[in-house]
Amino acid sequence: MKKIYYPLLFFVLLCFSSCFDIEERYDFKTDGSCNVQYNFDMGRAVSVLMNLMSDSVKQTPQFSLVKDTTLNFYSALPDSTQQKMTFDEANMAKSSNLSVKMDLKKSIMRVGINHTAKNAADLEYYLKHLSKISLDGQLKAATNTKTTNGFDAQQLIAGEDYYSYEISPHKFYRVIDKAKFNSFLKKTQSAFAMAKAMLIETPYKLVLNFAKPIKKISNPRAIVSADRKRVTLVTNMDEVMKNPTLMNLKIDF
């Protein structure tokens, strides 16, 4: 039974690849560069799942695993994968890091994806290609370690494919593609249904910090700070499924 429960836990976590706290953060600098972070916190899902496990299973060595590490995407990839990448994809991987923090007994399971874009064009390229590179298996190769036992980070950001972007030194436009979003929902609806049945919500938070005040913003749901340098959008996947346009943003700065 012990051999069955441990893989089962990770299988269910993968099914919850879109069912946990999500935070997306952009920090724009005065020189035009931008630091992008995607943070995924599966702690609440792990806590619920751990309640389903017996005490004897929780005491096994597998459930005592603790991991706190940061990997550079490119250096973590096998040579065979590096050789297949284009010049731009390689540069993108070299300027991206993946962090994993795990302590199952404390219901800690967090994954962070960090990238530094040197300018607006670099940022747009990253956002448009992040999902493609993930789905091509680079993230899986970087995180498929004995410690994570096959934890597949590529599923975490597969949904990013449903956005279209238009970015320049003075604007940040993101519009959801409803057809792609509906396709994403079809693939993940069972996971959302399972999470809802287990009372696991999917909060989403987007924070954009600008180097100068913004001039105009399209989304009335977004909160703009008093100095107009920070934009915050807070929602959850239940709301987004009912009205995908909640995720649209057109910001001029």
Side-chain angles (χ1 to χ4, degrees), residues 53-69:
M53 307 297 173
S54 66
D55 291 337
S56 60
V57 173
K58 293 177 185 178
Q59 298 304 315
T60 60
Q62 292 92 335
F63 280 88
S64 299
L65 287 176
V66 176
K67 186 178 182 67
D68 189 351
T69 187

Side-chain angles (χ1 to χ4, degrees), residues 153-200:
Q154 67 175 330
Q155 297 192 35
L156 298 178
I157 56 175
E160 289 303 305
D161 183 54
Y162 52 64
Y163 291 121
S164 61
Y165 292 92
E166 186 179 348
I167 302 172
S168 77
H170 301 290
K171 67 182 180 182
F172 179 92
Y173 289 6
R174 183 184 78 174
V175 178
I176 199 164
D177 184 315
K178 292 184 179 180
K180 290 183 177 180
F181 183 69
N182 288 335
S183 176
F184 167 76
L185 289 181
K186 287 180 181 179
K187 296 176 183 178
T188 57
Q189 60 184 354
S190 60
F192 282 119
M194 186 186 301
K196 194 169 184 178
M198 299 177 73
L199 303 179
I200 300 175

Side-chain angles (χ1 to χ4, degrees), residues 4-30:
I4 294 175
Y5 273 114
Y6 184 61
L8 177 62
L9 174 65
F10 280 92
F11 171 76
V12 177
L13 282 177
L14 291 179
C15 290
F16 284 148
S17 63
S18 298
C19 299
F20 38 74
D21 293 34
I22 303 169
E23 182 175 289
E24 189 176 346
R25 179 178 293 269
Y26 296 78
D27 292 305
F28 293 88
K29 311 299 182 182
T30 55

Side-chain angles (χ1 to χ4, degrees), residues 210-223:
F210 295 92
K212 54 186 178 182
I214 67 169
K215 298 176 181 178
K216 185 170 60 176
I217 183 169
S218 66
N219 192 327
R221 179 74 174 267
I223 300 171

Side-chain angles (χ1 to χ4, degrees), residues 21-228:
D21 293 34
I22 303 169
E23 182 175 289
E24 189 176 346
R25 179 178 293 269
Y26 296 78
D27 292 305
F28 293 88
K29 311 299 182 182
T30 55
D31 62 359
S33 64
C34 181
N35 183 259
V36 189
Q37 298 180 54
Y38 291 92
N39 297 307
F40 305 89
D41 190 342
M42 291 159 276
R44 289 187 297 165
V46 172
S47 178
V48 172
L49 293 170
M50 291 293 281
N51 288 332
L52 304 177
M53 307 297 173
S54 66
D55 291 337
S56 60
V57 173
K58 293 177 185 178
Q59 298 304 315
T60 60
Q62 292 92 335
F63 280 88
S64 299
L65 287 176
V66 176
K67 186 178 182 67
D68 189 351
T69 187
T70 299
L71 303 171
N72 176 266
F73 278 168
Y74 189 80
S75 61
L77 299 176
D79 292 341
S80 58
T81 301
Q82 292 180 3
Q83 293 169 4
K84 296 177 182 177
M85 300 176 76
T86 65
F87 177 79
D88 289 334
E89 288 174 344
N91 284 337
M92 176 178 161
K94 289 176 182 177
S95 56
S96 303
N97 293 316
L98 173 71
S99 61
V100 179
K101 187 168 186 178
M102 179 176 69
D103 188 335
L104 297 181
K105 285 191 173 182
K106 295 182 179 179
S107 295
I108 295 175
M109 186 64 179
R110 293 195 292 267
V111 175
I113 300 171
N114 183 283
H115 174 79
T116 300
K118 59 181 180 292
N119 52 41
D122 188 25
L123 175 59
E124 183 170 328
Y125 178 88
Y126 172 72
L127 295 175
K128 287 182 176 180
H129 291 79
L130 175 62
S131 181
K132 175 183 179 296
I133 287 183
S134 168
L135 293 174
D136 282 346
Q138 279 87 336
L139 287 179
K140 181 177 181 179
T143 57
N144 189 14
T145 64
K146 292 181 179 179
T147 308
T148 55
N149 210 30
F151 177 73
D152 189 352
Q154 67 175 330
Q155 297 192 35
L156 298 178
I157 56 175
E160 289 303 305
D161 183 54
Y162 52 64
Y163 291 121
S164 61
Y165 292 92
E166 186 179 348
I167 302 172
S168 77
H170 301 290
K171 67 182 180 182
F172 179 92
Y173 289 6
R174 183 184 78 174
V175 178
I176 199 164
D177 184 315
K178 292 184 179 180
K180 290 183 177 180
F181 183 69
N182 288 335
S183 176
F184 167 76
L185 289 181
K186 287 180 181 179
K187 296 176 183 178
T188 57
Q189 60 184 354
S190 60
F192 282 119
M194 186 186 301
K196 194 169 184 178
M198 299 177 73
L199 303 179
I200 300 175
E201 296 180 349
T202 313
Y204 170 85
K205 183 177 183 180
L206 170 66
V207 179
L208 301 102
N209 292 309
F210 295 92
K212 54 186 178 182
I214 67 169
K215 298 176 181 178
K216 185 170 60 176
I217 183 169
S218 66
N219 192 327
R221 179 74 174 267
I223 300 171
V224 181
S225 63
D227 62 2
R228 299 190 66 81

